[in-house]
Amino acid sequence: DGGITQSPKYLFRKEGQNVTLSCEQNLNHDAMYWYRQDPGQGLRLIYYSQIVNDFQKGDIAEGYSVSREKKESFPLTVTSAQKNPTAFYLCASTSDHSGQPQHFGDGTRLSIL
Amino acid sequence: AQSVSQHNHHVILSEAASLELGCNYSYGGTVNLFWYVQYPGQHLQLLLKYFSGDPLVKGIKGFEAEFIKSKFSFNLRKPSVQWSDTAEYFCAVNAWDDKIIFGKGTRLHILP
């Protein structure tokens, strides 16, 4: 079955460390997105990519970085510059350039030790 | 800039009660409107969407939403809720070809 795979499901990071969250899709979708979900905050866009080798900052890109070397992969790195990284991270994709995510992954919960 | 406002952060209802979750947006142009739902432990998924045409949109599981342009609203309704409707609901809006903006979510709890 086609879908989005995020790994790991739970991730722990020590302060000062960078950590990379994986997002892989086999839907052949062009556009991929990273959202951060905090209680009472809804979903906020971190980065998005509409095509391979291209990506744009979302609303809260500071302290994060991404790459899009392959169509099916859109990893997110949470750097030590991100002051409050504890959150639930969702990856999404869509087949067009409408900006509307159609499929979501199961998410990765990141916690700081 | 676009924004989305969901009026209620937490709603508690008994089974068979009627549901209406409020959603207002701010944007001057033509928009697309969505409701997403996240059941406990599951993916976020699309419940319904409005692009154009009939302002009353029917979605899955008996949900519907009405787009009222003059009020910049897209409220979600269900005549009779079930325990299985317990979830978090997100309203979202985007202008075509622009990124989608989500509301802060409404956590719905249905008492059996």
Side-chain angles (χ1 to χ4, degrees), chain A residues 4 35 37-43 45 48 50 57-59 88 90 96-106, chain B residues 9 32 34 36 38 41-46 49 51 88 90 94-105 107:
Chain A
I4 297 178
Y35 292 91
Q37 187 177 14
D38 296 283
Q41 296 276 340
L43 278 75
L45 182 64
Y48 64 105
Q50 294 193 318
K57 292 181 179 180
D59 299 315
F88 189 62
L90 281 169
D96 56 32
H97 300 281
S98 64
Q100 304 152 12
Q102 294 172 324
H103 294 265
F104 286 83
D106 285 337
Chain B
H9 297 299
N32 304 310
F34 310 84
Y36 287 84
Q38 188 170 29
Q42 293 189 26
H43 291 97
L44 196 67
Q45 57 187 288
L46 184 64
K49 61 185 177 184
F51 287 171
E88 190 160 13
F90 295 91
N94 85 322
W96 191 255
D97 221 23
D98 198 357
K99 60 182 186 289
I100 197 167
I101 305 294
F102 286 85
K104 293 186 176 181
R107 201 174 288 272

Side-chain angles (χ1 to χ4, degrees), chain B residues 13-80:
Chain B
L13 295 173
S14 297
E15 274 195 312
S18 65
L19 170 72
E20 181 159 4
L21 301 183
C23 174
N24 286 89
Y25 68 93
S26 67
Y27 185 70
T30 302
V31 294
N32 304 310
L33 295 153
F34 310 84
W35 276 96
Y36 287 84
V37 60
Q38 188 170 29
Y39 297 102
Q42 293 189 26
H43 291 97
L44 196 67
Q45 57 187 288
L46 184 64
L47 195 56
L48 48 78
K49 61 185 177 184
Y50 171 80
F51 287 171
S52 63
D54 188 345
L56 185 62
V57 181
K58 297 202 183 292
I60 60 172
K61 304 187 180 186
F63 285 91
E64 65 179 31
E66 185 175 12
F67 170 49
I68 302 180
K69 190 174 182 179
S70 60
K71 295 185 178 180
F72 297 89
S73 70
F74 191 56
N75 292 356
L76 181 71
R77 301 195 293 245
K78 186 170 183 178
S80 176

Side-chain angles (χ1 to χ4, degrees), chain A residues 18-72:
Chain A
N18 292 356
V19 65
T20 298
L21 283 60
S22 168
C23 177
E24 304 279 329
Q25 54 101 355
N26 60 2
L27 299 161
N28 200 33
H29 284 176
D30 286 323
M32 297 184 74
Y33 310 82
W34 274 106
Y35 292 91
R36 172 180 169 141
Q37 187 177 14
D38 296 283
Q41 296 276 340
L43 278 75
R44 293 180 290 169
L45 182 64
I46 304 172
Y47 267 97
Y48 64 105
S49 167
Q50 294 193 318
I51 200 167
V52 174
N53 292 324
D54 186 52
F55 49 83
Q56 286 82 39
K57 292 181 179 180
D59 299 315
I60 53 166
E62 186 174 350
Y64 299 98
S65 66
V66 293
S67 63
R68 188 84 188 278
E69 296 175 3
K70 299 185 293 183
K71 188 175 186 177
E72 58 270 24

